[in-house]
Amino acid sequence: MTVNILFAAKPASWAAYETPLKTALHEAGVSADLRRDFAPAEVDYIVYAPDSTVQDFTPYTRCKAVLNLWAGVENVVGNTTLTQPLARMVDHGLTQGMLEWVTGRVLRHHLGMDAHIHGLQGRWDKHVPPLAEDRPVTILGMGALGSACARALAGLGFDVTGWSRSAHDVEGVRCLHGDAGLAQALSTAEIAVLLLPLTAATQNLLNADRLAQMPRGAVILNPGRGALIDDDALLAALDSGQIGHATLDVFRVEPLPGDHPFWAHPSVTVTPHLASETRPTSASRVIAENVRRGEAGEPFVHLVDRKLGY
Amino acid sequence: MTVNILFAAKPASWAAYETPLKTALHEAGVSADLRRDFAPAEVDYIVYAPDSTVQDFTPYTRCKAVLNLWAGVENVVGNTTLTQPLARMVDHGLTQGMLEWVTGRVLRHHLGMDAHIHGLQGRWDKHVPPLAEDRPVTILGMGALGSACARALAGLGFDVTGWSRSAHDVEGVRCLHGDAGLAQALSTAEIAVLLLPLTAATQNLLNADRLAQMPRGAVILNPGRGALIDDDALLAALDSGQIGHATLDVFRVEPLPGDHPFWAHPSVTVTPHLASETRPTSASRVIAENVRRGEAGEPFVHLVDRKLGY
């Protein structure tokens, strides 16, 4: 029997999700008709973005669940016409994408890959990098993302230190905390990865003083929040050689303005806030799994508690 | 009590090993005098390269062991003046270095890192790569090096296929073998890593026919042996776009001649045979551990069987 699934989101989302969703539903063994137009009374499930034109759920009388495309549900959870189960998006692609972005950039700098990417132009210039076990990497921020990156880097053999405000414990990682721990974590960080939340306490955490505590020529990777770094202090440290390179994915203003000095600086790499993004492929699998569960009479995953609001 | 260690190898090796060896001995708790000159009768251990000037071991009457700097012992094992225990070098850096080279280059191509390394010049061009789980990587050759790389890539989440002549089994890796398996392994390989031994059967394994079996735009990484690939067929496939990029660490002639077309080709990256090299840091730890064992009365590791010759 065919399940009717309404895709209620903006046209750009349809372009990104149509193929991955159909593939994921097929792989989940669900025979589905996925479309952007149905008579409301014929709809079995709604794949939903809170900015879609569907705001009154009353006519969707046989709808078994509303499956949110977004992690955030604050713009739908208060809708009193929504009486069906509501599931939020929990996409493992957010953590996995971060892990890949961080691991790739750590290896780029660790291995000195740029020399070969730019081309040796006929010079057989054999310079063997140290092993990962001799490369101290510090992760600032040991929440879900920081811990996942620390584990992946330790798994590849890196000498990993993790720092956060309060104490924590991750196997294979030297875990430090508090102000004294921060000074120690910075003092050894040949590569530092910023994955702290942005709070009053972490704003401008990497200021001129703290940049000066790092080993000369250290590399900074920031896929966390732009305001964790004092931009002017960073540019000065790059110009002096105290910091060897900065690869930045997040900025105080995004998109990063075209005339910002980060774009043209030879020791800065800009990536356009792509380290942690919902991936249509992995997000589609989450939605397909919930449709499969609904049809099999199994409980939905990632259900929103309507009283708690998340 | 101080242990006298003679370093018997060429001056270039001394330059590379003096500091790491002294550090490793210190870290192993050995109080050592490491020098290139001793009266032979005062020497406790010899750190040895078979091309050193020491060829007569008779005067080294109190020497407890000869610790080879090289993995190969074929140029010392037949020396009849050598009556002391002989240990060969087993450096985990060879496998670990390969794992790092391969993982770094797979991530470079998987993530499209070049676009950012070369600089977006003010363009906020957000192109989110697929997750590793949606990137099929094929390892050709599942010996010690290939298996280690396959495990590391699978650990990062990649969709890994391993192929070798005979059947094998590695957890988390789709293992194929034989001729039919090769065709299947190539047909899905968006990134292929060559880690086969060079034999009559594997010479020119990647010829025009097999390159044509790969997905259009596939990336080839060769840290194995240069002659596994038909160079002319590879250049033709790169020019036609059938192969998107090749990153090569090994070549039929090394150093790669300055006028070889690989150097200037925009879709070829040359690295100068550095994927798997003995690292002074890790090799020094192996030597220091054997000195520590000798002084503690524990058995040496990596001892050569003088009858078997290895």
Side-chain angles (χ1 to χ4, degrees):
Chain A
M1 182 166 141
T2 299
V3 179
N4 291 337
I5 304 178
L6 176 68
F7 188 88
K10 293 199 164 168
S13 290
W14 178 247
Y17 276 90
E18 182 185 3
T19 302
L21 255 181
K22 286 180 174 170
T23 302
L25 288 161
H26 176 75
E27 289 177 355
V30 175
S31 173
D33 190 7
L34 176 72
R35 287 198 268 136
R36 287 182 293 171
D37 57 325
F38 276 110
E42 294 175 359
V43 170
D44 296 305
Y45 296 89
I46 303 177
V47 175
Y48 188 70
D51 65 354
S52 92
T53 54
V54 174
Q55 295 296 329
D56 180 5
F57 292 92
T58 315
Y60 295 89
T61 48
R62 87 176 199 203
C63 174
K64 297 172 196 168
V66 173
L67 308 172
N68 214 44
L69 273 176
W70 299 0
V73 292
E74 62 272 20
N75 294 327
V76 57
V77 75
N79 187 324
T80 53
T81 69
L82 174 56
T83 54
Q84 294 90 344
L86 170 66
R88 65 198 175 88
M89 176 52 61
V90 177
D91 175 20
H92 89 107
L94 296 174
T95 304
Q96 175 65 24
M98 178 63 81
L99 182 161
E100 295 177 19
W101 188 96
V102 167
T103 307
R105 272 67 191 190
V106 166
L107 282 164
R108 171 194 171 197
H109 294 292
H110 166 62
L111 297 172
M113 280 168 52
D114 292 23
H116 310 111
I117 291 173
H118 288 130
L120 293 173
Q121 301 182 303
R123 281 178 295 110
W124 188 262
D125 188 5
K126 189 158 179 163
H127 176 75
V128 180
L131 293 175
E133 67 199 42
D134 295 311
R135 181 74 71 188
V137 179
T138 290
I139 314 277
L140 299 179
M142 290 294 281
L145 295 176
S147 299
C149 292
R151 269 189 218 97
L153 292 169
L156 288 174
F158 284 98
D159 175 12
V160 182
T161 298
W163 178 84
S164 56
R165 279 270 141 216
S166 52
H168 55 280
D169 188 25
V170 175
E171 198 186 328
V173 176
R174 184 185 307 105
C175 291
L176 303 174
H177 70 279
D179 287 341
L182 179 57
Q184 187 184 342
L186 289 173
S187 71
T188 61
E190 293 185 10
I191 301 175
V193 184
L194 274 64
L195 282 167
L196 291 158
L198 185 61
T199 66
T202 62
Q203 183 142 359
N204 290 322
L205 184 94
L206 276 200
N207 56 22
D209 284 350
R210 294 215 177 86
L211 291 168
Q213 291 169 24
M214 298 179 72
R216 188 165 177 83
V219 168
I220 290 171
L221 307 179
N222 188 9
R225 290 285 178 261
L228 295 172
I229 306 182
D230 179 331
D231 289 356
D232 292 336
L234 176 60
L235 285 164
L238 288 162
D239 288 338
S240 76
Q242 167 59 16
I243 300 300
H245 199 96
T247 295
L248 310 173
D249 188 55
V250 289
F251 306 91
R252 284 163 195 270
V253 177
E254 294 184 5
L256 185 67
D259 60 353
H260 194 287
F262 284 157
W263 282 115
H265 200 289
S267 301
V268 175
T269 302
V270 171
T271 66
H273 202 148
L274 47 71
S276 186
E277 275 281 308
T278 296
R279 260 60 168 197
T281 309
S282 51
S284 293
R285 289 184 191 126
V286 175
I287 288 170
E289 168 64 8
N290 256 342
V291 174
R292 186 199 66 73
R293 285 169 167 261
E295 294 308 291
E298 297 174 21
F300 294 112
V301 290
H302 311 316
L303 276 185
V304 173
D305 182 317
R306 309 295 292 276
K307 285 187 188 135
L308 290 174
Y310 57 88
Chain B
M1 181 167 144
T2 299
V3 179
N4 291 338
I5 304 178
L6 175 69
F7 188 88
K10 293 201 163 166
S13 289
W14 178 248
Y17 276 90
E18 182 185 2
T19 302
L21 255 180
K22 287 180 174 170
T23 303
L25 288 161
H26 176 75
E27 288 177 356
V30 174
S31 173
D33 190 6
L34 177 73
R35 286 198 267 137
R36 287 182 292 172
D37 57 326
F38 277 110
E42 292 175 0
V43 170
D44 295 304
Y45 297 88
I46 303 176
V47 174
Y48 189 72
D51 64 355
S52 92
T53 55
V54 174
Q55 295 296 331
D56 180 5
F57 292 92
T58 315
Y60 296 89
T61 48
R62 87 175 199 206
C63 174
K64 298 173 197 165
V66 173
L67 308 171
N68 214 44
L69 274 176
W70 299 1
V73 291
E74 62 274 19
N75 294 327
V76 59
V77 75
N79 187 323
T80 53
T81 68
L82 174 55
T83 54
Q84 295 89 344
L86 170 67
R88 65 196 176 89
M89 176 53 61
V90 178
D91 174 21
H92 90 106
L94 295 174
T95 305
Q96 176 64 25
M98 179 62 81
L99 183 161
E100 296 177 18
W101 187 98
V102 167
T103 307
R105 273 65 192 193
V106 166
L107 282 164
R108 170 193 172 198
H109 294 291
H110 166 63
L111 297 172
M113 280 168 51
D114 292 22
H116 310 110
I117 290 173
H118 289 130
L120 293 172
Q121 301 183 301
R123 283 178 294 110
W124 187 263
D125 188 6
K126 189 160 180 160
H127 176 77
V128 180
L131 293 175
E133 67 198 43
D134 294 312
R135 180 74 70 189
V137 179
T138 290
I139 313 278
L140 299 179
M142 289 293 280
L145 295 175
S147 298
C149 293
R151 269 189 217 96
L153 292 169
L156 288 175
F158 283 97
D159 175 12
V160 182
T161 298
W163 178 84
S164 56
R165 281 267 143 217
S166 52
H168 55 279
D169 189 25
V170 174
E171 197 185 328
V173 177
R174 184 186 306 105
C175 290
L176 303 174
H177 70 279
D179 287 341
L182 179 57
Q184 188 185 341
L186 289 173
S187 71
T188 61
E190 293 186 9
I191 301 175
V193 185
L194 274 62
L195 282 167
L196 291 158
L198 184 61
T199 67
T202 63
Q203 183 142 358
N204 291 322
L205 184 94
L206 276 199
N207 56 21
D209 284 352
R210 294 215 176 85
L211 290 168
Q213 292 170 23
M214 299 179 70
R216 189 166 175 83
V219 169
I220 290 170
L221 307 180
N222 188 8
R225 290 286 178 260
L228 296 171
I229 306 182
D230 178 333
D231 289 357
D232 292 335
L234 176 60
L235 286 164
L238 288 163
D239 288 337
S240 76
Q242 167 59 17
I243 300 301
H245 199 94
T247 295
L248 310 173
D249 189 54
V250 289
F251 306 91
R252 283 165 196 268
V253 177
E254 294 183 4
L256 184 67
D259 61 352
H260 195 286
F262 284 157
W263 282 115
H265 200 289
S267 301
V268 175
T269 302
V270 171
T271 66
H273 202 148
L274 46 71
S276 186
E277 275 282 308
T278 296
R279 261 52 172 203
T281 309
S282 49
S284 292
R285 290 184 190 126
V286 175
I287 288 170
E289 169 64 7
N290 256 343
V291 174
R292 186 199 67 73
R293 285 171 167 260
E295 294 308 291
E298 299 175 21
F300 294 113
V301 290
H302 312 316
L303 276 186
V304 173
D305 182 317
R306 308 296 293 275
K307 285 188 189 134
L308 289 175
Y310 58 87

